C-alpha cells in the first residue's frame, strides 16, 4: 500500500510494552540467537535481512541495532526464521530458576508486564461492561430489535391476539386509543424480552479481557505447554515480525484494527498467534471460536484470554446474527484487533480448505455500511513439524464420529505435554488495507450491479476476498521437514528408501519448492541429513526403520497420517500434477515411446476435465486454461521431464508431448512424483462417482410409483420419488471404498476419507448430477464455486461441451422433514441415472454417469495388483448395486406428490465395531 510504512504515519501512543526483541522507539535491538543451529549476525551488515534474529532474551549479549524509520521496509529473498519460545526450565532440574520465572511473570518484570501494548487499551477492570454497552447501543442492533418487535406486534394484531374484548368499548376513538395502548405496551414488552435475549447472547459470546495478571499467568502457562510439546520452539520470520509491529503502530495511530486471517490445522493455532502478539507487545486479537469449545473451566479460561464464541449455525436466527454483527462493528470501529480462521474449521487433510464466508461477510458488511472506516488484513500461515490432532483427524475421516469437547478429554490430552513434536513456524503475509481492496474490486464490477446483502456484486466481492487471503497464505507458507519426508515416502514406487536416496530426493524437492516460489523451513547451517534425522524423530512411529541391511531403510507405516503432511505441499505442484495425470492416460497403456506420445488436443481435453473436477478441492493460480497449460508444459520441458513437439510454422503451437529420454532413463521418478501427488484425490473422486451409481432405484421402484418393491412392509401405499439421506449415502461410499481397498480395486486407503467424498458430492451437486433437498433447519448453500479466474485450468469457453453439463433444472429449496431426518436428502438426476436389468435387477454399466466415472478412471493409477477391465467393472458395479439396494431398504425416503415425506427405511442394522481401520504397509 502506498505510504503505509512512511514515518509520517507512525504516531507514538506512549512507550509500548517491550518484547524480548527490544524495539525501543525508532530503533530495533536484535539479540544474537541462543539456538545453536542458527547462524550469528553478519558483522558490519545493515538492514533487517542482515541479521540472524532471535526473539530470545539475551541481556548479556552484545546487541546490534537496525534503524527501521530511516527508509521504507525492503523485503529480502533471504527470509530467516528465528526461534520465539524460550528454553523450558523444569522445576525438578532448576527449582529456584523455575520459581524465579514465575515471580517475574506475576510481578510483570520487563516485557512480561504487558502494560501498554500497541493498540487500544485492554485488560483493565470494566473492559467487558464497556464493550457490552457499546454493543447494546449499536444503532444497527437497536433497529433490528425494533423491527422484530414491530413485526411480532403486527402479526399478533393480524391474528386478533391484541383485540380481545375491545368490542365492549364504546366509541371508535376509544377503541383505537385502547388498541394503540395495547400495541405500545406489547411492543415495550417485546423490546424488553428481546433485549434480555441479546444481553444473554452477548454474555455468552463476548471476550472478557479484564485482568492483566491473568493474561501474564496464561502466557506463562501456554509457553510451558508449547515448550514441552514443540521442543524446537515457535519460529517466526525477522522481516515479517518487524513489519507486523510497524503496521500495528500505524493502525493504532489511526484507531484501526488488525484483522488476522490464519489457516487452521490445529487448536495450537489459537495459542501460537496470541503468544507472538504478547511477545511483540501488540494487543491480543479477539479470536472467533466455535461454542463447542465453551465447556466448563476451559471455556471461561479461553474467553478471558480473548475468545469470541459463536454458534456453529445461526442463519435462521436474525437476532443472533445482528448481535454478532454489532459485536464485529464494535471491535473494528474502536480499533481492537480481530482474528478468525479463513477456512472455518480445522483442516483434517492438511491442505487449505475453501474459504468460509460467514465471519468474512460480517467484516465486509461493517466496511460497506460505513460503520467502520478501514482495517488492515494480515494473512497468517501456521505450519507444524507434527500436528497433535492428526490421529483424531484420521478417525474422523474414516467415519468415526467426533467426540464433543469436554474437560475430561482435555485433561487426558496432557500426555502431549511430554512429546517432542518439533517446531512451529508462523508466517505473516504483507498487510493490506481492506478499504483499498474493496474500492479496487468495486471499480471492476459492472455499473449498477446489485451490492445488497446476498446480491451478485456482494457475493463476488466476498468470494474474491476469501480466495485472495488463501492465495496470500499459500504464498508465505513454509514447508516443514516432516512434510518433505512424508511427501517423498508417499511418492515412491518401492516399499522403502535408503537414507542417501531420501536425502537426495528431499534436496531435489526443496529445490523444486523454491523454484515454484515456495519456502522451505530455515535451519541455518545444519546439513540435510541432520534435518532429516530430526524429522524422522518427530514423525516417530509413522515411519518405519529397517536395520541390519546393507543400508538403513525407511518406509511409510501409517500412510493415512503421512498424507496430512504430504498435502501441505501439493498446492505448489497442482498444475504439474494435473498435466501428469492427463498424460498418464496414454502412458499407462505401455509400449514404446512412440506409442506413448500424447496429442495436444487429447491432453487438453483431460486437463480441462480434471481441472473442472477439482476446482473446489484446491486453490489455484488465476491464469486461464491455455496460458496456464502452456506455462506448465514449458516448465516441465525446461526441467527435462517432457519433450514438446511444436509446429514448424508456429512454434507457439504444440502438436504433442511425451516423456523425455532423460526422464525415461531416470525411471520416470519426476513424472511419477507428480502423479503420486494427485492420484489419491483422483481415486477419491472416482469412488464418489461409483457410489452414486448405487443410487439407481431398484427395478420395482419407478421414479414416480409405489415404493413397495423396496420395503413393502414399511412403505405401504407410499407413492412418490425415492430419496436417501446424505449422511447414509456418504457412509455407503466409505463402506464401498474400504471393501474395494481390501479387495485390491482401490490403490489408496486415504481415498476413503470423508472429506474427499463430501467435496466430490458437493461438486456433483453443483453440476446437477445429484439433486438435493435440504431441510428448513439447514443453512442456505454457500456462495457459488469460484469463477474460472480462480481455477487452475478453467474450461476453455462457456460454449465448450463438458461432461458435467446438464440441461435440466432442479430445486434445492428447503423442506420440512420428519423428526427422524435432520440432514439433506439425495437422489440421482434422471438424466444421469443408469439402467437396471429388468430380469436380474443388476445395474447396467453404461450411460452418462458410467461414462463420467470411466473418464475419471482413465487417470487412475494402475499397478501389478490392479488392472481396469470388464471383470473389475462387473464386480465393482455388482457390489455398489447391492449396497445401493441396502441403502434404499434401510434409509429410503419417499417424497409424495403433495410434498409430504414418508420414511420407508427399516433403519441400519447394528454392526459390531471392530478395531480402527488403518492403512499399514
Amino acid at each position: 500500500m502506498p505510504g503505509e510504512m512512511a514515518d509520517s504515519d507512525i504516531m507514538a501512543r506512549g512507550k509500548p510494552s517491550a518484547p524480548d526483541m527490544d524495539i525501543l522507539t525508532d530503533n530495533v535491538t536484535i539479540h544474537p540467537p541462543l539456538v545453536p543451529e542458527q547462524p550469528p549476525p553478519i558483522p558490519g551488515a545493515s538492514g533487517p535481512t542482515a541479521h540472524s534474529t532471535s526473539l530470545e532474551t539475551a541481556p548479556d549479549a552484545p546487541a546490534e541495532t537496525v534503524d527501521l524509520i530511516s527508509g521504507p521496509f525492503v523485503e529480502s529473498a533471504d527470509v530467516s526464521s528465528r526461534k520465539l519460545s524460550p528454553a523450558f526450565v523444569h522445576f525438578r532440574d532448576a527449582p529456584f530458576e523455575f520459581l524465579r520465572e514465575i515471580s517475574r511473570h506475576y510481578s510483570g518484570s520487563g516485557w512480561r508486564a504487558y502494560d501498554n501494548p500497541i493498540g487500544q487499551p485492554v485488560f483493565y477492570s470494566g473492559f467487558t461492561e464497556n464493550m457490552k454497552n457499546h454493543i447494546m447501543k449499536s444503532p444497527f442492533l437497536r433497529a433490528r430489535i425494533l423491527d422484530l418487535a414491530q413485526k411480532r406486534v403486527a402479526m399478533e394484531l393480524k391474528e386478533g391476539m391484541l383485540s380481545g374484548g375491545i368490542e365492549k368499548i364504546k366509541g371508535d376513538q376509544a377503541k383505537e386509543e385502547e388498541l394503540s395502548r395495547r400495541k405500545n405496551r406489547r411492543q415495550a414488552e417485546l423490546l424488553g424480552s428481546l433485549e434480555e435475549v441479546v444481553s444473554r447472547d452477548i454474555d455468552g459470546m463476548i471476550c472478557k479481557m479484564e485482568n492483566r495478571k491473568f493474561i501474564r499467568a496464561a502466557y506463562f502457562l501456554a509457553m510451558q505447554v508449547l515448550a514441552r510439546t514443540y521442543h524446537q520452539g515457535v519460529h517466526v520470520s525477522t522481516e515479517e515480525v518487524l513489519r507486523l509491529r510497524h503496521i500495528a503502530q500505524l493502525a493504532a495511530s489511526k484507531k484501526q484494527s488488525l484483522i488476522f486471517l490464519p489457516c487452521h490445522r490445529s487448536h495450537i493455532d489459537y495459542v501460537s498467534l496470541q503468544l507472538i502478539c504478547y511477545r511483540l507487545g501488540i494487543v491480543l486479537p479477539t479470536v472467533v471460536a466455535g461454542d463447542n469449545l465453551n465447556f466448563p473451566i476451559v471455556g471461561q479460561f479461553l474467553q478471558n484470554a480473548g475468545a469470541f464464541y459463536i454458534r456453529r449455525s445461526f442463519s435462521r436466527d436474525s437476532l443472533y446474527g445482528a448481535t454478532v454483527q454489532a459485536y464485529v462493528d464494535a471491535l473494528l470501529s474502536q480499533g481492537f484487533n480481530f482474528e478468525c480462521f479463513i477456512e472455518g474449521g480445522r483442516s483434517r487433510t492438511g491442505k487449505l480448505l475453501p474459504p468460509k464466508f460467514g465471519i468474512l461477510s460480517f467484516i465486509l458488511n461493517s466496511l460497506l455500511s460505513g460503520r467502520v472506516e478501514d482495517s488492515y488484513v494480515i494473512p497468517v500461515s501456521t505450519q507444524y513439524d507434527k500436528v497433535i490432532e492428526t490421529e483424531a483427524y484420521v478417525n474422523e475421516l474414516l467415519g468415526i464420529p467426533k467426540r464433543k469437547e469436554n474437560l475430561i478429554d482435555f485433561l487426558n490430552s496432557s500426555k502431549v505435554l511430554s512429546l517432542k513434536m518439533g517446531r512451529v513456524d508462523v508466517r505473516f503475509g504483507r498487510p493490506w488495507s481492506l478499504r483499498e481492496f474493496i474500492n479496487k474490486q468495486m471499480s471492476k464490477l459492472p455499473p449498477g450491479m446489485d451490492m445488497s446483502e446476498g446480491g451478485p456484486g456482494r457475493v463476488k466481492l466476498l468470494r474474491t476476498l476469501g480466495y485472495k487471503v488463501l492465495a496470500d497464505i499459500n504464498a508465505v507458507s513454509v514447508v516443514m521437514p516432516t512434510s518433505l519426508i512424508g511427501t517423498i515416502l508417499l511418492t515412491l514406487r518401492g516399499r522403502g528408501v535408503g537414507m542417501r536416496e531420501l536425502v537426495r530426493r528431499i534436496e531435489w524437492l526443496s529445490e523444486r519448492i523454491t523454484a515454484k516460489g515456495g519456502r522451505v523451513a530455515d535451519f541455518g547451517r545444519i546439513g540435510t541429513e541432520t534435518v532429516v534425522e530430526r524429522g524422522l524423530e518427530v514423525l516417530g512411529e509413522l515411519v518405519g526403520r529397517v536395520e541390519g541391511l546393507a543400508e538403513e531403510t525407511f518406509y511409510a507405516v501409517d500412510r493415512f497420517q503421512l498424507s496430512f503432511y504430504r498435502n501441505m505441499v501439493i498446492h505448489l505442484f497442482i498444475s504439474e500434477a494435473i498435466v501428469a495425470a492427463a498424460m498418464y492416460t496414454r502412458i499407462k497403456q505401455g509400449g514404446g515411446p512412440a506409442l506413448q506420445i500424447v496429442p495436444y488436443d487429447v491432453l487438453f481435453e483431460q486437463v480441462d476435465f480434471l481441472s473442472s473436477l477439482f476446482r473446489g478441492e484446491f486453490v489455484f493460480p488465476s491464469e486461464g486454461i491455455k496460458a496456464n497449460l502452456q506455462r506448465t508444459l514449458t516448465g516441465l520441458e525446461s526441467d527435462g521431464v517432457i519433450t514438446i513437439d511444436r509446429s514448424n510454422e508456429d512454434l507457439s503451437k504444440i502438436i504433442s508431448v511425451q516423456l523425455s529420454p532423460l526422464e525415461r532413463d531416470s525411471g520416470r521418478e519426476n513424472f511419477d512424483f507428480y502423479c503420486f501427488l494427485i492420484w489419491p484425490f483422483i481415486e477419491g473422486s472416482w469412488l464418489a462417482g461409483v457410489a452414486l451409481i448405487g443410487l439407481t432405484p431398484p427395478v420395482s421402484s419407478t421414479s414416480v410409483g409405489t415404493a413397495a418393491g423396496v420395503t413393502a412392509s414399511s412403505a405401504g401405499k407410499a407413492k412418490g420419488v425415492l430419496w436417501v439421506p446424505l449422511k447414509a449415502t456418504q457412509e455407503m461410499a466409505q463402506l464401498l471404498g474400504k471393501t474395494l481397498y481390501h479387495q485390491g480395486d482401490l490403490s489408496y486407503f486415504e481415498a476413503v476419507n470423508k472429506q474427499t467424498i463430501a467435496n466430490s458430492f458437493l461438486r456433483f451437486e453443483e453440476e446437477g448430477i445429484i439433486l438435493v433437498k435440504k431441510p428448513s433447519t439447514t443453512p442456505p448453500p454457500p456462495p457459488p464455486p469460484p469463477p474460472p479466474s480462480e481455477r487452475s485450468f478453467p474450461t476453455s469457453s462457456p460454449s465448450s461441451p463438458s461432461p458435467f453439463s446438464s440441461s435440466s433444472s432442479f430445486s434445492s429449496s428447503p423442506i420440512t422433514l420428519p423428526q427422524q431426518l435432520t440432514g439433506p436428502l439425495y437422489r440421482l438426476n434422471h438424466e444421469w441415472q443408469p439402467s437396471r436389468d429388468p430380469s436380474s435387477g443388476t445395474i447396467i454399466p453404461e450411460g452418462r454417469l458410467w461414462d463420467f466415472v470411466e473418464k475419471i478412471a482413465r487417470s487412475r493409477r494402475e499397478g501389478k495388483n490392479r488392472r481396469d477391465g470388464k471383470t473389475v467393472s462387473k464386480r465393482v458395479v455388482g457390489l455398489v448395486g447391492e449396497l445401493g439396494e441396502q441403502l434404499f431398504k434401510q434409509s429410503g425416503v419417499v417424497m409424495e406428490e403433495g410434498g409430504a415425506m414418508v420414511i420407508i427405511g427399516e433403519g441400519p442394522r447394528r454392526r459390531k465395531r471392530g478395531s480402527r481401520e488403518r492403512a499399514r504397509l
Side-chain angles (χ1 to χ4, degrees):
M1 291 170 293
E4 72 173 17
M5 297 302 174
D7 58 318
S8 59
D9 289 333
I10 308 296
M11 298 175 61
R13 208 185 61 81
K15 183 177 179 180
S17 180
D20 279 352
M21 181 175 64
D22 299 328
I23 302 182
L24 306 175
T25 60
D26 292 347
N27 292 326
V28 182
T29 303
I30 302 180
H31 298 305
L34 300 183
V35 185
E37 62 261 32
Q38 294 176 351
I42 303 173
S46 61
T49 62
H51 298 269
S52 241
T53 305
S54 171
L55 300 187
E56 296 280 6
T57 304
D60 300 326
E64 297 194 1
T65 62
V66 179
D67 185 0
L68 201 62
I69 302 301
S70 59
F73 191 92
V74 180
E75 188 171 279
S76 168
D78 178 21
V79 181
S80 56
S81 156
R82 301 297 169 247
K83 185 176 179 182
L84 177 69
S85 56
F88 180 74
V89 179
H90 288 274
F91 176 78
R92 63 178 176 270
D93 297 331
F96 293 108
E97 180 60 29
F98 182 83
L99 294 174
R100 190 178 297 115
E101 186 64 18
I102 292 178
S103 175
R104 292 192 190 109
H105 278 84
Y106 182 80
S107 62
S109 172
W111 60 266
R112 301 166 187 82
Y114 201 63
D115 284 333
N116 193 18
I118 301 173
Q120 307 312 310
V122 291
F123 293 107
Y124 63 87
S125 180
F127 171 86
T128 307
E129 191 62 30
N130 290 341
M131 182 62 70
K132 183 175 181 178
N133 290 336
H134 194 97
I135 299 171
M136 292 295 295
K137 293 177 181 178
S138 163
F140 171 81
L141 181 58
R142 301 300 306 174
R144 180 60 56 87
I145 292 174
L146 179 60
D147 178 64
L148 291 174
Q150 289 175 340
K151 287 181 177 178
R152 178 68 182 183
V153 169
M155 186 274 290
E156 292 181 0
L157 183 64
K158 183 178 179 180
E159 298 292 329
M161 299 172 66
L162 300 179
S163 56
I166 203 169
E167 68 279 356
K168 298 179 181 179
I169 301 176
K170 297 180 179 180
D172 292 342
Q173 184 176 355
K175 290 180 179 179
E176 288 294 330
E177 291 176 352
E178 175 61 22
L179 189 59
S180 178
R181 281 194 294 270
R182 293 184 182 183
K183 288 167 58 179
N184 292 337
R185 185 168 60 247
R186 179 56 177 157
Q187 181 170 303
E189 292 174 355
L190 290 171
L191 288 174
S193 298
L194 292 173
E195 287 174 358
E196 289 180 6
V197 172
V198 168
S199 179
R200 288 196 301 269
D201 286 342
I202 292 174
D203 290 338
M205 73 171 63
I206 193 172
C207 71
K208 300 174 180 178
M209 296 181 174
E210 292 276 341
N211 192 317
R212 198 174 304 278
K213 288 187 177 180
F214 165 82
I215 200 61
R216 293 173 189 164
Y219 172 84
F220 177 76
L221 176 62
M223 286 304 300
Q224 307 310 302
V225 172
L226 271 186
R228 286 176 178 267
T229 308
Y230 291 96
H231 64 295
Q232 294 178 15
V234 179
H235 290 243
V236 295
S237 162
T238 300
E239 296 184 6
E240 291 169 2
V241 296
L242 296 182
R243 184 170 59 215
L244 176 59
R245 270 186 61 92
H246 209 86
I247 199 68
Q249 291 173 326
L250 173 62
S253 69
K254 298 180 178 181
K255 203 176 181 180
Q256 293 173 355
S257 303
L258 303 181
I259 301 177
F260 295 94
L261 297 177
C263 58
H264 199 14
R265 291 191 172 94
S266 170
H267 284 312
I268 300 297
D269 297 339
Y270 302 101
V271 181
S272 58
L273 185 55
Q274 296 288 83
L275 292 181
I276 291 173
C277 288
Y278 192 103
R279 292 290 287 268
L280 294 177
I282 298 173
V283 166
L284 301 185
T286 298
V287 186
V288 178
D291 58 0
N292 59 303
L293 294 176
N294 192 10
F295 53 90
I297 301 179
V298 173
Q300 290 86 331
F301 179 91
L302 296 177
Q303 198 168 22
N304 288 327
F308 159 19
Y309 291 121
I310 60 170
R311 301 175 193 163
R312 287 293 183 180
S313 175
F314 50 86
S315 60
R316 307 294 175 182
D317 189 339
S318 61
L319 182 59
Y320 188 86
T323 305
V324 173
Q325 181 67 72
Y327 189 18
V328 173
D329 290 347
L331 290 168
L332 300 184
S333 63
Q334 297 180 88
F336 291 102
N337 295 339
F338 189 83
E339 176 187 350
C340 69
F341 294 100
I342 186 68
E343 303 161 280
R346 290 169 293 163
S347 171
R348 268 66 173 173
T349 61
K351 67 181 184 65
L352 278 180
L353 302 176
K356 292 293 189 294
F357 300 101
I359 293 297
L360 281 186
S361 67
F362 288 113
I363 295 172
L364 206 57
N365 289 344
S366 296
L367 274 81
L368 290 175
S369 66
R371 296 189 294 268
V372 174
E373 180 183 350
D374 197 5
S375 297
Y376 291 94
V377 174
I378 303 178
V380 183
S381 169
T382 307
Q383 305 293 330
Y384 300 85
D385 267 335
K386 194 173 185 180
V387 173
I388 294 174
E389 301 98 325
T390 49
E391 186 173 357
Y393 291 165
V394 169
N395 291 336
E396 289 182 41
L397 292 174
L398 287 175
I400 300 174
K402 175 187 173 185
R403 294 186 60 176
K404 186 177 180 180
E405 283 81 359
N406 58 77
L407 182 59
I408 300 300
D409 286 347
F410 180 82
L411 295 176
N412 287 339
S413 68
S414 60
K415 64 180 181 179
V416 304
L417 301 184
S418 58
L419 296 180
K420 293 185 177 181
M421 305 187 74
R423 80 187 214 184
V424 182
D425 273 61
V426 182
R427 295 291 182 267
F428 298 92
R430 181 174 288 278
W432 40 273
S433 163
L434 185 53
R435 175 64 66 186
E436 289 184 11
F437 169 82
I438 291 173
N439 292 341
K440 182 178 180 180
Q441 295 301 318
M442 290 186 68
S443 68
K444 298 179 181 179
L445 297 177
M449 194 170 190
D450 183 11
M451 289 299 297
S452 63
E453 191 167 353
R458 181 76 67 93
V459 170
K460 181 175 178 60
L461 181 61
L462 187 62
R463 186 172 59 231
T464 305
L465 172 62
Y467 280 93
K468 172 177 170 52
V469 172
L470 289 186
D472 287 351
I473 290 173
N474 270 338
V476 298
S477 295
V478 296
V479 180
M480 307 299 287
T482 50
S483 293
L484 297 173
I485 295 170
T487 301
I488 294 300
L489 290 178
L490 295 183
T491 54
L492 294 172
R493 282 196 176 273
R495 290 192 182 93
V497 60
M499 174 60 81
R500 283 175 294 183
E501 178 65 9
L502 181 59
V503 168
R504 184 186 73 83
R505 291 298 292 172
I506 284 179
E507 289 177 343
W508 171 85
L509 179 56
S510 298
E511 292 174 359
R512 294 303 309 138
I513 290 171
T514 304
K516 291 286 293 181
R519 300 179 179 184
V520 178
D522 175 33
F523 278 81
R525 297 173 181 174
I526 302 180
T528 305
E529 186 168 347
T530 303
V531 173
V532 171
E533 283 287 0
R534 292 186 180 185
L536 291 169
E537 179 185 358
V538 170
L539 289 173
E541 62 182 13
L542 303 186
V543 178
R545 186 182 305 227
V546 183
E547 300 177 349
L549 304 179
E551 181 184 10
E552 191 175 29
T553 302
F554 303 91
Y555 63 96
V557 174
D558 194 330
R559 303 181 72 89
F560 210 133
Q561 279 202 61
L562 283 176
S563 70
F564 183 93
Y565 303 98
R566 180 210 57 208
N567 289 343
M568 296 180 182
V569 177
I570 190 172
H571 67 279
L572 293 167
F573 304 106
I574 186 59
S575 299
E576 290 82 356
I578 287 177
V579 169
M583 290 182 63
Y584 185 70
T585 61
R586 183 62 62 91
I587 291 173
K588 75 175 181 179
Q589 296 176 10
L595 297 177
Q596 296 183 11
I597 296 175
V598 186
Y600 180 78
D601 56 346
V602 173
L603 176 70
F604 183 91
E605 180 186 1
Q606 189 69 4
V607 164
D608 187 25
F609 173 76
L610 293 176
S611 176
S612 183
L613 183 68
F614 293 123
R615 73 180 187 185
E617 188 77 51
F618 301 103
V619 180
F620 295 120
S622 58
E623 298 167 307
I625 182 171
K626 291 184 178 179
N628 198 14
L629 181 55
Q630 181 83 22
R631 176 186 56 78
T632 304
L633 291 175
T634 302
L636 290 171
E637 182 184 36
S638 63
D639 292 338
V641 179
I642 64 173
T643 57
I644 300 177
D645 181 22
R646 294 180 169 86
S647 170
N648 293 328
E649 290 78 16
D650 183 4
L651 294 179
S652 64
K653 183 178 180 181
I654 298 176
I655 305 299
S656 63
V657 299
Q658 62 177 314
L659 291 179
S660 69
L662 179 64
E663 183 66 15
R664 294 182 185 277
D665 291 343
S666 68
R668 286 184 6 196
E669 65 176 8
N670 299 324
F671 176 81
D672 285 351
F673 168 81
Y674 296 125
C675 288
F676 274 105
L677 284 178
I678 196 70
W679 272 336
F681 295 93
I682 292 175
E683 288 241 304
S685 294
W686 176 83
L687 173 62
V690 170
L692 290 187
I693 295 176
L695 298 187
T696 306
V699 172
S700 54
S701 172
T702 57
S703 59
V704 179
T706 179
V710 179
T711 167
S713 61
S714 56
K717 297 181 179 180
K719 293 185 178 181
V721 179
L722 269 174
W723 298 76
V724 288
L726 165 61
K727 183 178 180 182
T729 307
Q730 290 179 342
E731 290 175 349
M732 182 269 281
Q734 286 195 285
L735 179 60
L736 171 67
K738 293 172 184 178
T739 305
L740 294 179
Y741 174 79
H742 289 293
Q743 292 181 354
D745 295 318
L746 198 69
S747 299
Y748 296 95
F749 193 58
E750 63 190 90
V752 181
N753 89 72
K754 183 170 63 176
Q755 187 67 58
T756 300
I757 293 173
N759 289 343
S760 299
F761 280 177
L762 180 61
R763 182 72 189 90
F764 301 155
E765 177 190 343
E766 292 169 353
E767 297 299 331
I769 300 176
I770 49 180
L771 311 184
V772 182
K773 285 292 183 182
K774 295 180 171 66
S776 58
T777 55
T778 301
S789 63
E790 293 161 359
R791 291 163 38 197
S792 175
F793 298 108
T795 50
S796 52
S797 68
S799 59
S800 299
S802 168
F804 287 108
S805 61
S806 173
S807 59
S808 64
S809 61
F810 65 97
S811 170
S812 60
S813 56
I815 57 174
T816 302
L817 300 181
Q819 288 185 344
Q820 298 93 320
L821 299 176
T822 57
L825 299 175
Y826 270 14
R827 75 173 177 88
L828 276 178
N829 186 329
H830 67 88
E831 294 185 0
W832 291 79
Q833 186 173 294
S835 302
R836 285 185 181 266
D837 185 288
S839 58
S840 65
T842 57
I843 297 175
I844 302 174
E846 61 182 24
R848 193 174 181 183
L849 180 56
W850 176 256
D851 293 341
F852 169 77
V853 172
E854 283 289 281
K855 192 161 188 176
I856 300 175
R858 289 174 58 190
S859 291
R860 290 180 69 207
R861 176 192 178 187
E862 283 194 342
K864 63 181 181 180
N865 295 324
R866 195 188 68 75
R867 287 283 190 268
D868 290 327
K870 292 184 178 180
T871 303
V872 174
S873 300
K874 183 177 180 180
R875 183 172 67 250
V876 171
V877 171
L879 178 60
V880 74
E882 294 175 2
L883 289 175
E885 289 186 1
Q886 294 177 18
L887 178 64
F888 283 115
K889 184 176 182 180
Q890 296 172 1
S891 306
V893 176
V894 169
M895 177 178 290
E896 297 182 327
E897 294 183 10
M901 307 295 293
V902 180
I903 298 177
I904 62 173
E906 300 173 345
R909 296 177 181 176
R910 292 185 174 273
R911 293 192 298 266
K912 294 182 179 179
R913 185 180 297 277
S915 59
R916 289 177 303 178
E917 297 181 68
R918 304 293 295 275
R920 302 276 183 182
L921 280 183

